[in-house]
Amino acid sequence: MQKKSENNVAIKRKYPEPVILIIVKDKHGKYNPVPCSWAMVASGEPLMFAFALATKRYSLEAIRRAGEFVISFPSESMADEVAYYGSCSGDNTDKFKEKPVPTEKAESIDCLILKDSVANFECVLDCEYAAGDHIIITARVLKAWENKESDLKRLFNVGSGRKLSGVTEKK
């Protein structure tokens, strides 16, 4: 049974939702990770993703400038780092220096992939769309990586206020 609700109350029922990290090289030459929960597969052939970033995000400017970035699906063990990366701006913080994670160079683009993530995708900017207070970015995948450990759990946003956790399947 449904009841009428305010938008800001009903929207809380959407959790859990997957978290991605977008890693992009900024104008200062540092790699900046930004967490994002509003993401999806946008095409299977070619493989493309779409995600939404607030119009005021420092990383949006970096994505437009670089035209390439990595979309990383962090593992549950990366929750502290992901929460930190979302708590400060890459404009005045070297997030990987302050909260390092194991990385290696991407092969197709000038970026980093995250060794402890479940999967990484080297991408190029395809296009963008204005959507209210956010910009929807579509990204075309050039190269995909997956973690050798197949039992790693993905990281999810399980509630408002940066509540991060893995999601366990009920049996």
Side-chain angles (χ1 to χ4, degrees):
M1 175 182 298
Q2 296 289 304
K3 67 177 184 176
K4 287 186 181 179
S5 179
E6 296 296 321
N7 291 348
N8 63 342
V9 174
I11 195 71
K12 293 176 184 176
R13 302 294 299 269
K14 70 184 178 103
Y15 298 104
E17 61 187 0
V19 174
I20 64 169
L21 276 175
I22 303 151
I23 300 103
V24 61
K25 188 174 184 180
D26 71 9
K27 64 186 174 190
H28 305 293
K30 71 179 188 291
Y31 297 101
N32 182 47
V34 60
C36 175
S37 289
W38 297 353
M40 66 177 197
V41 173
S43 171
E45 187 55 46
L47 182 57
M48 298 178 74
F49 289 101
F51 57 88
L53 288 178
T55 56
K56 297 178 182 172
R57 281 279 193 177
Y58 175 73
S59 297
L60 180 58
E61 171 193 328
I63 287 169
R64 288 171 170 160
R65 187 183 158 284
E68 59 187 25
F69 46 90
V70 165
I71 294 176
S72 185
F73 289 80
S75 64
E76 184 178 19
S77 67
M78 299 172 70
D80 289 342
E81 290 84 354
V82 172
Y84 175 77
Y85 299 152
S87 72
C88 54
S89 172
D91 189 23
N92 51 26
T93 306
D94 186 338
K95 297 177 189 181
F96 281 141
K97 183 178 179 185
E98 296 298 320
K99 199 79 152 159
V101 295
T103 63
E104 56 188 72
K105 293 292 283 178
E107 286 187 4
S108 302
I109 62 173
D110 184 6
C111 204
L112 301 174
I113 63 173
L114 306 184
K115 289 182 177 183
D116 294 339
S117 284
V118 173
N120 291 275
F121 298 87
E122 298 178 29
C123 300
V124 291
L125 174 63
D126 182 63
C127 58
E128 60 180 79
Y129 306 92
D133 60 355
H134 280 65
I135 300 293
I136 298 172
I137 300 287
T138 59
R140 187 170 41 87
V141 174
L142 301 178
K143 186 172 289 266
W145 302 85
E146 66 175 309
N147 200 300
K148 292 176 184 176
E149 295 181 42
S150 60
D151 61 342
L152 280 181
K153 292 196 182 335
R154 290 258 324 268
L155 186 63
F156 286 80
N157 181 358
V158 294
S160 59
R162 294 190 188 107
K163 296 176 185 165
L164 301 174
S165 178
V167 174
T168 304
E169 182 179 320
K170 289 184 178 182
K171 300 202 179 204

